Amino acid sequence: FNFNGSVDSGFGTGGVSKIAFTPQADLETPYNLALQTDGKIVVVGSAAISNKSNSPNGFAVARLNPNGM
């Protein structure tokens, strides 16, 4: 977001950055993020290993550039 609260359209695509760790991208959940001193963004969460309900989730981590890419 910009300082005034509006969406930063220069971040990702139209202000949104989507990360797909698996083909079941709808079963991925971000839990936390951290901003590094160089401006990069670290996102951690879980990603489904399979779309079966009893399947365990894997640990997921991604690091984005300040522009969301």
Side-chain angles (χ1 to χ4, degrees), residues 19-44:
I19 305 164
F21 291 102
T22 67
Q24 293 85 20
D26 59 329
L27 300 176
E28 298 170 351
T29 306
Y31 288 114
N32 212 336
L33 62 88
L35 183 60
Q36 295 182 179
T37 56
D38 62 359
K40 291 184 178 177
I41 304 161
V42 178
V43 182
V44 296

Side-chain angles (χ1 to χ4, degrees), residues 2-66:
N2 293 311
F3 286 108
N4 66 3
S6 64
V7 174
D8 179 358
S9 60
F11 181 83
T13 303
V16 176
S17 184
K18 294 184 179 183
I19 305 164
F21 291 102
T22 67
Q24 293 85 20
D26 59 329
L27 300 176
E28 298 170 351
T29 306
Y31 288 114
N32 212 336
L33 62 88
L35 183 60
Q36 295 182 179
T37 56
D38 62 359
K40 291 184 178 177
I41 304 161
V42 178
V43 182
V44 296
S46 66
I49 294 170
S50 142
N51 61 359
K52 296 179 182 175
S53 62
N54 62 350
S55 145
N57 284 343
F59 184 74
V61 90
R63 186 170 68 170
L64 304 171
N65 289 317

